[in-house]
């Protein structure tokens, strides 16, 4: 009996468990101060579900309680009412059809599961810093070698995102087959311009590469010149897959609903050079290993696009972006250099001179009782930065701002 030994290559000290260890160590040592702790670390929403979503879910649960309206297994790809609403509201004019949208229970799973349809031996490019899921799922799939002492995996192409390049990686000189891009970005909270995305699409087309585009934070884009979808870029339908989620706009982190968009024109090749539709492979994969998101959840997701739902989601976004503006200002007033937080719920802050990102984590915990996320936990290029999440109540954010000022 063998195991998948790729799992043994995964690093034990994963970011959030390490944060958890340090926080519980501190709370045990400081029981009197524990009640002051404010968590601005993990990227989870804090505000309750929109009323329109709850109403739709209640109604759907009641439908499930009546013989005439009860629904058992639904289509694995999702109900038409939701796929149609997504296309109409999110991809109008972008030449995406409802049957190119696959409903799921999360983008974390989709961005990991997508590797099922790709072969081995592909060159994988990821940004640094990065959402750790992209890396770890490639490790599990056997697409990497071992990690070195800095935690970098052999065989991956790391694309540094720095203040110098505006946190959008330079086009590599070598050929990559799969490229993970996430904009607005987690963790840096920065965005990519149309020109930058055009350059990536051109690179992907020239290299027969596929861009895996994670647009989980598109709803936070305030600047109308910034693309919300990779499919706003000409040619992307031939080289990109997009992941979207209801987690951050609708507050569905605990409800679970997301979707993946794969144009039917998108192909990749067999070892003998035959083109194969990735849409049909994913359709087969999805229908075989997934039995559809729950009916009440899909009704709740569709309600995000109702007039009331849209207004309520806008209010949520406005709330979080208001938080982000306060956090940006507080950090700037404290003399820190700040990035992101204008079209994304994350503020990416440069550590003061002489303090590294875990040093800053400890300092914020011990001196301000605020939990932040050290940039180094997202990759080597994240060293020297920390992430503050604006997913919080206004009260907590105002208190965090006061404590930053007092540091
Ligand atoms: C939060 C987040 C998602 C959404 O994941 P779900 O599984 O849909 O909750 C996807 N990508 C990134 C980068 C995220 O931060």
């Amino acid at each position: 009996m063998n195991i998948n030994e790729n799992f043994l290559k995964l690093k034990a000290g994963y970011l959030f468990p390490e944060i958890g260890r340090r926080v519980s160590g501190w709370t045990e040592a400081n029981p009197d101060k524990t009640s002051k702790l404010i968590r601005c670390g993990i990227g989870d929403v804090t505000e309750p579900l929109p009323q329109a979503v709850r109403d739709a879910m209640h109604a759907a649960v009641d439908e499930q309680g009546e013989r005439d309206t009860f629904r058992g297994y639904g289509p694995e790809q999702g109900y038409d009412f939701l796929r149609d609403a997504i296309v109409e509201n999110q991809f109008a004019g972008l030449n995406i059809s409802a049957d190119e949208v696959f409903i799921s229970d999360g983008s974390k799973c989709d961005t990991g599961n997508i590797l099922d349809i790709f072969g081995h031996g592909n060159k994988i490019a990821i940004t640094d810093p990065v959402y750790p899921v992209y890396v770890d799922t490639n490790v599990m799939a056997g697409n990497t070698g071992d990690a070195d002492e800095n935690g970098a995996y052999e065989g991956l192409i790391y694309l540094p995102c720095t203040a110098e390049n505006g946190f959008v990686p330079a086009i590599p000189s070598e050929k990559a087959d799969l490229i993970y891009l996430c904009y607005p970005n987690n963790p840096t909270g920065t965005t990519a311009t149309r020109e930058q995305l055009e350059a990536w699409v051109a690179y992907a087309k020239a290299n027969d590469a596929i861009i895996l585009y994670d647009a989980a934070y598109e709803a936070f884009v305030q600047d109308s010149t910034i693309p919300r979808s990779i499919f706003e870029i000409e040619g992307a339908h031939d080289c990109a897959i997009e992941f979207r989620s209801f987690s951050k706009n609708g507050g569905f982190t605990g409800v679970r609903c997301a979707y993946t968009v794969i144009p039917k024109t998108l192909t990749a090749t067999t070892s003998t050079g035959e083109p194969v539709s990735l849409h049909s492979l994913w359709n087969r994969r999805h229908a075989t290993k997934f039995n559809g998101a729950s009916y009440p959840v899909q009704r709740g997701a569709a309600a995000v696009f109702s007039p009331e739902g849209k207004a309520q989601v806008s209010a949520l976004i406005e709330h979080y972006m208001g938080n982000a503006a306060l956090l940006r200002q507080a950090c700037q007033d404290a003399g820190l250099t700040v990035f992101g937080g204008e079209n994304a719920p994350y503020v990416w802050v440069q550590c003061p001179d002489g303090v590294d990102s875990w040093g800053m984590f400890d300092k914020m915990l011990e001196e301000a009782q605020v939990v932040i996320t050290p940039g180094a936990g997202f990759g080597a290029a994240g060293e020297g930065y920390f992430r503050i999440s604006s997913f919080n109540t206004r009260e907590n954010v105002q208190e965090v701002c006061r404590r930053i000022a007092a540091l």
Side-chain angles (χ1 to χ4, degrees):
M1 208 284 301
N2 293 316
I3 59 150
N4 177 350
E5 292 193 17
N6 295 313
F7 280 63
L8 305 181
K9 299 176 191 164
L10 293 166
K11 283 178 292 144
Y14 177 67
L15 174 60
F16 291 105
E18 175 60 22
I19 289 177
R21 271 190 292 278
R22 292 195 188 206
V23 172
S24 47
W26 178 84
T27 52
E28 272 161 40
N30 298 277
D32 51 316
K33 290 193 206 149
T34 303
S35 64
K36 290 180 68 186
L37 198 70
I38 300 179
R39 292 175 194 274
C40 298
I42 292 182
D44 195 358
V45 297
T46 53
E47 303 308 290
L49 275 184
Q51 185 68 47
V53 169
R54 278 178 283 150
D55 289 345
M57 289 176 73
H58 279 299
V61 168
D62 287 341
E63 280 181 58
Q64 293 292 69
E66 300 287 338
R67 184 172 303 280
D68 288 348
T69 50
F70 169 78
R71 303 197 192 207
Y73 290 125
E76 291 94 347
Q77 299 82 354
Y79 283 103
D80 286 342
F81 65 78
L82 181 54
R83 302 172 95 189
D84 289 339
I86 287 168
V87 166
E88 219 168 279
N89 289 281
Q90 305 279 271
F91 295 96
L94 297 185
N95 195 22
I96 295 293
S97 61
D99 63 354
E100 294 175 322
V101 177
F102 294 88
I103 310 299
S104 76
D105 60 359
S107 274
K108 189 195 221 182
C109 346
D110 286 348
T111 54
N113 290 334
I114 199 74
L115 292 175
D116 272 8
I117 66 170
F118 295 106
H120 290 287
N122 286 321
K123 271 285 190 187
I124 318 279
I126 56 144
T127 60
D128 176 12
V130 71
Y131 180 54
V133 176
Y134 312 149
V135 177
D136 288 358
T137 53
N138 272 292
V139 175
M140 291 173 179
N143 293 337
T144 73
D146 289 318
D148 67 15
E149 65 277 9
N150 300 317
Y153 286 95
E154 187 196 333
L156 289 183
I157 302 173
Y158 288 88
L159 308 169
C161 295
T162 61
E164 288 69 40
N165 61 25
F167 303 96
V168 177
I171 303 292
S173 47
E174 61 192 304
K175 175 179 159 44
D177 299 299
L178 277 181
I179 303 134
Y180 290 82
L181 294 178
C182 172
Y183 289 100
N185 185 257
N186 179 10
T188 65
T190 56
T191 51
T193 63
R194 180 171 301 277
E195 293 67 32
Q196 288 167 324
L197 292 180
E198 281 168 356
W200 274 103
V201 166
Y203 169 84
K205 292 191 70 157
N207 288 281
D208 281 327
I210 303 281
I211 295 172
L212 300 174
Y213 196 75
D214 187 341
Y217 295 95
E218 63 79 27
F220 294 84
V221 172
Q222 310 287 307
D223 177 343
S224 60
T225 66
I226 291 172
R228 288 166 173 257
S229 169
I230 192 70
F231 299 120
E232 291 179 38
I233 309 301
E234 209 185 313
H237 296 68
D238 302 321
C239 66
I241 291 174
E242 182 161 303
F243 302 96
R244 290 221 187 169
S245 173
F246 291 95
S247 282
K248 310 294 162 52
N249 62 343
F252 273 49
T253 53
V255 174
R256 315 301 307 140
C257 196
Y259 53 98
T260 292
V261 182
I262 308 188
K264 280 180 283 191
T265 48
L266 188 63
T267 60
T269 48
T270 64
S271 53
T272 52
E274 299 296 321
V276 175
S277 155
L278 291 176
H279 179 279
S280 69
L281 292 186
W282 182 248
N283 190 49
R284 191 73 168 88
R285 191 266 166 215
H286 204 65
T288 300
K289 293 197 184 179
F290 186 63
N291 240 341
S294 122
Y295 174 65
V297 163
Q298 291 190 63
R299 280 292 182 201
V304 161
F305 303 116
S306 68
E308 312 78 61
K310 281 181 190 167
Q312 291 157 10
V313 167
S314 295
L316 283 176
I317 303 287
E318 209 173 295
H319 166 79
Y320 292 129
M321 291 313 293
N323 287 350
L326 291 172
L327 291 165
R328 274 180 61 90
Q329 191 63 50
C331 291
Q332 277 168 345
D333 290 348
L336 297 167
T337 304
V338 176
F339 303 92
E342 291 176 310
N343 296 283
Y346 300 120
V347 181
W348 189 244
V349 190
Q350 207 173 333
C351 299
D353 277 348
V355 185
D356 69 8
S357 63
W358 278 107
M360 198 61 196
F361 175 89
D362 291 334
K363 185 177 164 70
M364 291 287 281
L365 178 62
E366 285 156 20
E367 295 175 23
Q369 287 81 57
V370 173
V371 181
I372 48 94
T373 317
F378 297 104
E383 182 53 273
Y385 293 89
F386 63 98
R387 188 190 77 174
I388 311 185
S389 165
S390 70
F391 290 128
N392 223 317
T393 61
R394 182 57 52 89
E395 218 181 359
N396 275 348
V397 165
Q398 286 166 335
E399 178 60 19
V400 168
C401 291
R402 278 191 289 273
R403 293 188 196 170
I404 289 172
L407 267 184

